[in-house]
Amino acid sequence: MARYNLRCPLSDEDARMLRAGDVVFLSGTIYTARDAAHKRLCDMLDRGDPLPFDCKGAVIYYVGPTPAPEGQAVGAAGPTTSYRMDSYAPRLYSLGCKASIGKGKRSEAVRQSLEEYGGVYFGATGGAGALLSMCIEAAKVIAFDDLGPEAVRELTVRNFPVLVINDAHGGNFYVTPDRKAAGLE
Amino acid sequence: MRSIPADAVIKAVEDMCIHANRYLPQDVRDCLERSSASETSPAAREVFRQIRENYELAEKSGLPLCQDCGLAVLLVDVGDDVHVEGMNLREAINEGVRRGYDKGLLRKSACDPFTRVNTKDNTPAIIHFDMVPGDKIHIRFMAKGGGSENMSRVTMLTPAQGWPGIRNFVLNLVAEAGPNPCPPTIIGIGIGGTFDYAPVLAKKALLRKLGDVNPDPRLDAMEKELLADINRLGIGPMGLGGVTTSLDVKIAVAPCHIASLPLAVNIQCHSARHEEVIL
């Protein structure tokens, strides 16, 4: 399992190079979106409207931060559970998004879209919101201000720590529960 | 009858909302430390390291432990001989939540279930009242995150299914949830009552201290057995593999209908934020 420092947006080569279990420190520009924002983004695509950010190489962080205290870009900003974005994610990967950051399992359809479009799914540590906010240097709302914590923000991150959970080659880092050992079978 | 000014209730709830979201209880920290020492894989150890660094930073900086500051869940025992002066008790509690989530720079996560429009002040809080003897008000606050709440379930087993049925349901649920509810988790289990009461029992169970002993030896043995079995699943911290899938199992029971065996499993993430006050 390798360690990398990568710039965002991500290149095709970087995304394809990664393997499940790799530790990656992300720096550069990423975008936040969670439930309500994903619905609106897909509604925009349905209408043929341009998205508020360039999808090419984009890294989307599933997060709704707490209000920023004075002198900080954001408040606590850890990942939310990713499966709720599963119905939207393949569409964004198909448009050139290279990665999403969240926590928890992805659907078969999302994992297939990673293979099809050369994307990755990163996990960050859930419940480490205060710590992860230290890696966010700037934040700017670029769409859906009315959604409050769910607005789309452009974040400037520095050495944001993530782990490759699903790669572009079918790799999966989450363990399969040992039902037998637990006496389930 | 004793009288408590509504302002005292408001202030107490406000303070609990802010403090609980910044300070991880000592029993949770101790349990995390003990579990951390038993993990060998680098990925599992790294999760525990980040969790520790996070709670130390939150306490020092005043940042919330987690961006999900939860719905405000309050269990309130009201004494027969106490009266709140100046405001209805439910309104006073909601006002405390409103002020706490505003002043503490906490995320407001309450929204309309259909329009998804945010209520913008994290109210209404979820409040369970109980009447008890005495002239005190005992308020227990939990910041209950959506991720672990989403993985929780209630089911109506048949009496014939008994303990093996309960055990299977819990283990299957934890296995299915996998990394989603931010393991290592705490599993609150409510057995008995009715369809609506079993989850209240499960939620109350989550407020016990980690590592304590259930006063009912039969339940204590069940808790220990289930915890050991859950940790044999090998899901580990954040689902990355390891011996710590759950930190503890807590069971609460109540008598039920002769036709029923209600079972509720309320999952709590490792950021188990709760606090209490007696007024």
Side-chain angles (χ1 to χ4, degrees), chain A residues 86-160:
Chain A
D86 280 357
S87 55
Y88 308 109
R91 196 165 182 189
L92 295 172
Y93 279 110
S94 79
L95 294 170
C97 286
K98 283 290 133 195
S100 52
I101 308 170
K103 65 169 173 92
K105 291 179 281 188
R106 304 313 301 259
S107 68
E108 184 58 36
V110 172
R111 284 182 274 141
Q112 272 175 12
S113 74
L114 298 180
E115 293 189 59
E116 193 173 349
Y117 305 111
V120 287
Y121 167 52
F122 293 124
T125 301
L131 184 65
L132 291 170
S133 78
M134 295 293 120
C135 307
I136 301 173
E137 295 183 328
K140 183 172 68 174
V141 172
I142 57 166
F144 319 142
D145 195 23
D146 62 299
L147 291 179
E150 295 204 72
V152 172
R153 289 169 171 81
E154 184 184 280
L155 303 182
T156 307
V157 297
R158 189 185 170 86
N159 295 329
F160 190 95

Side-chain angles (χ1 to χ4, degrees), chain B residues 49 51 54 71-72 84 87 107 119 132 156 162 179 184 188 219 224 251 253 273:
Chain B
R49 191 192 66 76
I51 290 173
N54 187 68
L71 281 189
V84 175
M87 198 188 271
R107 196 181 79 188
T119 66
V132 297
M156 304 300 279
L219 297 181
K224 290 189 164 74
I251 302 178
V253 297
R273 293 150 290 170

Side-chain angles (χ1 to χ4, degrees), chain B residues 195-231:
Chain B
F195 174 76
D196 51 311
Y197 191 55
V200 178
L201 291 169
K203 194 138 255 140
K204 280 187 181 167
L206 285 175
L207 288 167
R208 275 174 46 207
K209 288 224 182 304
L210 300 192
D212 72 353
V213 174
N214 193 312
D216 181 335
R218 183 187 52 158
L219 297 181
D220 194 59
M222 288 173 170
E223 289 175 356
K224 290 189 164 74
E225 179 191 332
L226 258 181
L227 178 63
D229 285 339
I230 285 170
N231 284 334

Side-chain angles (χ1 to χ4, degrees), chain A residues 35-53:
Chain A
D35 309 67
H38 271 81
K39 183 173 192 318
R40 289 203 193 170
L41 292 172
C42 287
D43 288 347
M44 289 172 98
L45 290 172
D46 287 343
R47 290 194 303 267
D49 294 341
L51 293 186
F53 56 88

